[in-house]
Amino acid sequence: KMIGTDFILDCNLKNKSLISNTAKDFLYKFHTNSKSDNKRISQTIQYFQDMEEVFEKMALSLKKNHYGVVIIGNKKLLDKTIPTHKIFSEIAKYYELKTSKIIPAKLICNNATAKTPWSDKAITEENLMIFQK
């Protein structure tokens, strides 16, 4: 199964429940009649639901006082930056994992002057997130 895929079979997800209050506040407030926007919102909800499973498995797999690491970028959805690092911290806490450190990193492009149609959607910063059981 692929996490974060752009392919989703059901744009009208039957189960839209999420653990993170930040995710709920961010994702449930969008109101659009655009089919493509609704698809992107559904894809993002599905992504966070998949990541909830990842964190659950991480919590089950890690030994006490050991660490797990996730690298993520805060992508945009409908011109708003998704606070993924905050959402992941909330999901981790739900599964009794402590966010021990978040290390931000700026992504550097080989050609900083290049402009593409998707440049405004590109992830320019990422976070290395360290979780402890």
Side-chain angles (χ1 to χ4, degrees), residues 14-122:
K14 291 175 181 73
N15 175 12
K16 292 188 179 187
S17 65
L18 293 165
I19 290 170
S20 163
N21 287 326
T22 299
K24 291 175 194 174
D25 291 343
F26 184 85
L27 293 165
Y28 296 165
K29 71 179 177 187
F30 288 107
H31 299 287
T32 177
N33 291 326
S34 164
K35 188 173 181 175
S36 64
D37 287 350
N38 285 331
K39 182 177 179 182
R40 291 290 299 132
I41 294 164
S42 293
Q43 288 169 333
T44 306
I45 291 170
Q46 182 66 60
Y47 169 75
F48 285 115
Q49 289 173 336
D50 290 346
M51 289 306 297
E52 288 171 1
E53 290 180 39
V54 169
F55 277 93
E56 179 181 29
K57 290 177 183 175
M58 185 189 304
L60 292 170
S61 301
L62 282 177
K63 294 178 182 176
K64 188 173 172 78
N65 297 319
H66 283 74
Y67 297 89
V69 176
V70 176
I71 300 173
I72 56 99
N74 288 345
K75 196 171 182 178
K76 287 189 176 186
L77 175 65
L78 307 182
D79 295 325
K80 296 188 186 301
T81 302
I82 305 168
T84 306
H85 64 288
K86 186 172 182 184
I87 294 169
F88 279 8
S89 290
E90 291 174 6
I91 296 169
K93 184 177 181 180
Y94 179 86
Y95 289 109
E96 299 179 1
L97 294 170
K98 176 186 165 206
T99 304
S100 66
K101 196 166 194 177
I102 299 176
I103 304 169
K106 181 117 175 103
L107 298 177
I108 300 170
C109 175
N110 288 340
N111 184 353
T113 61
K115 186 73 177 158
T116 61
W118 59 87
S119 293
D120 59 327
K121 294 181 177 126

